[in-house]
Amino acid sequence: MKKASFFAIAAIAAIALTGCTDSEAPEGDASGEASAPADLTPITVGVIPIADTAALYLGDSLGYFEEAGLDLTIETAESGAAIAPAVVSGDYQFGFSNNLSLLTANEKGLGLQSVSAAVATTGDTSADMGGIIVKGDSDISSVADLAGKTVSSNAVGNINQVVTRAAIDAAGGDSSTTEFVEVAFPDAIAAVENDQIDAAFVVEPFVTAAIEAGDKVISYAYAEFDPKLDIASYFTSNAYADANPEIVEAFQSAMQKSLEAAQSDSDAVREIIGTYTKNDAETLAKIVLPTYPTEINRDALQKLGDAAVEYGILTAAPDLDALLK
């Protein structure tokens, strides 16, 4: 990898997880604390600042949340596993997480429910929004070669680990010998380049950044697992949903409009991603955008849950009804 490319990737990684909030932050009162307009209900949503969450930012910019009576603040984190505790504690009213992490949380008794679809694979096994990358000169040429190797994800035990193991096994490798470690998406490319890990599961805009830097994708594992796979959803706690059904309904209404807008206007999505990741226009023009569905595909989620049981992430078949209320 050329030194110039390495520093370009490092710059992208350094800024991609910069904390973001609503572009029009509410003015503070005399005590310095932010306050929402009297006719709006304040909510905070925890997300990962990646292409997957573009619909939320887009809907905010289009005024859909204000139209629904909500004053939206967006906070960022590295993974859904970090967001879930903040939702349970009430620091956030809603959060974004991969669906397997939500199923795992419910198995542990956290009591979470999906309230909106968020993002799904494109189903294209030749160019998807998430994939497994290795160095361009790596002797790893197939996902089967990851047997006995070290692979990173933004969290251990999440959807990325399961679909990676499924891809390895489907290709004839033995995924039980693969070691999975946690590396945040913005740090994963450098970790691969520095030989700290053999491969990394990354999502856009980091897939394109890796390819531009000379790395290679050996598997688009989401699409290979199931062409209708929902990667993540927006969720809240059962306790919050029971106590605030009107707010949940308002959030769902705003999210449906936001997802429809994102799915229908790729140019707007690319532009909004640039406001919270600071990637350059050239990179944004090349990234593979995900699908922004308005409904979760239950069959694909069931398949994911079954695989999670097979690979020991879940101890028993998940209760999809509890998550998809």
Side-chain angles (χ1 to χ4, degrees):
M1 179 178 180
K2 296 180 180 179
K3 184 179 294 185
S5 296
F6 174 82
F7 285 116
I9 294 305
I12 292 173
I15 57 182
L17 279 184
T18 300
C20 299
T21 58
D22 185 7
S23 59
E24 295 295 333
E27 295 180 0
D29 58 21
S31 65
E33 296 182 356
S35 57
D39 59 339
L40 299 179
T41 299
I43 62 167
T44 299
V45 182
V47 302
I48 309 170
I50 50 180
D52 298 24
T53 54
L56 179 72
Y57 287 92
L58 181 61
D60 185 27
S61 72
L62 294 173
Y64 293 153
F65 291 90
E66 287 190 12
E67 290 175 7
L70 303 174
D71 182 64
L72 174 65
T73 296
I74 302 174
E75 297 289 350
T76 60
E78 291 182 355
S79 69
I83 294 169
V87 172
V88 172
S89 69
D91 290 336
Y92 301 162
Q93 285 68 56
F94 301 94
F96 168 93
S97 174
N98 78 85
N99 288 319
L100 180 53
S101 289
L102 294 179
L103 292 173
T104 302
N106 276 355
E107 186 175 76
K108 295 177 180 178
L110 266 65
L112 304 175
Q113 62 179 270
S114 170
V115 295
S116 171
V119 63
T121 173
T122 64
D124 186 346
T125 58
S126 64
D128 197 22
M129 41 71 70
I132 304 167
I133 64 165
V134 297
K135 289 174 66 174
D137 60 357
S138 173
D139 58 3
I140 298 173
S141 59
S142 163
V143 69
D145 296 332
L146 294 179
K149 300 296 195 297
T150 301
V151 182
S152 77
S153 176
N154 65 318
V156 174
N158 70 359
I159 187 173
N160 299 335
Q161 181 171 333
V162 168
V163 298
T164 297
R165 288 199 62 178
I168 294 170
D169 292 338
D174 181 1
S175 70
S176 68
T177 65
T178 303
E179 179 184 4
F180 290 89
V181 297
E182 183 173 319
V183 178
F185 288 137
D187 302 325
I189 298 175
V192 168
E193 290 294 329
N194 294 331
D195 296 317
Q196 296 170 291
I197 53 177
D198 298 300
F201 197 113
V202 293
V203 297
E204 291 290 19
F206 303 106
V207 178
T208 296
I211 293 172
E212 290 293 292
D215 299 324
K216 59 185 179 181
V217 178
I218 58 170
S219 171
Y220 290 102
Y222 290 147
E224 291 170 13
F225 183 84
D226 192 291
K228 299 295 184 179
L229 181 66
D230 286 274
I231 312 304
S233 61
Y234 291 95
F235 69 98
T236 190
S237 67
N238 290 338
Y240 185 83
D242 290 344
N244 303 277
E246 298 87 355
I247 299 176
V248 171
E249 184 176 350
F251 180 79
Q252 291 173 320
S253 175
M255 276 309 312
Q256 177 157 342
K257 291 180 180 180
S258 300
L259 291 163
E260 290 172 347
Q263 185 62 27
S264 65
D265 193 343
S266 61
D267 289 339
V269 170
R270 294 177 193 281
E271 182 177 353
I272 204 71
I273 293 172
T275 67
Y276 62 88
T277 67
K278 309 304 181 184
N279 286 289
D280 59 73
E282 183 178 356
T283 298
L284 293 174
K286 295 178 180 179
I287 65 173
V288 176
L289 295 177
T291 300
Y292 298 103
T294 56
E295 295 183 1
I296 293 175
N297 186 293
R298 188 183 179 98
D299 290 342
L301 184 58
Q302 182 67 62
K303 181 178 177 180
L304 177 66
D306 293 343
V309 174
E310 177 185 352
Y311 292 128
I313 304 301
L314 295 174
T315 62
D319 184 353
L320 297 190
D321 291 333
L323 180 64
L324 306 177
K325 292 185 177 180

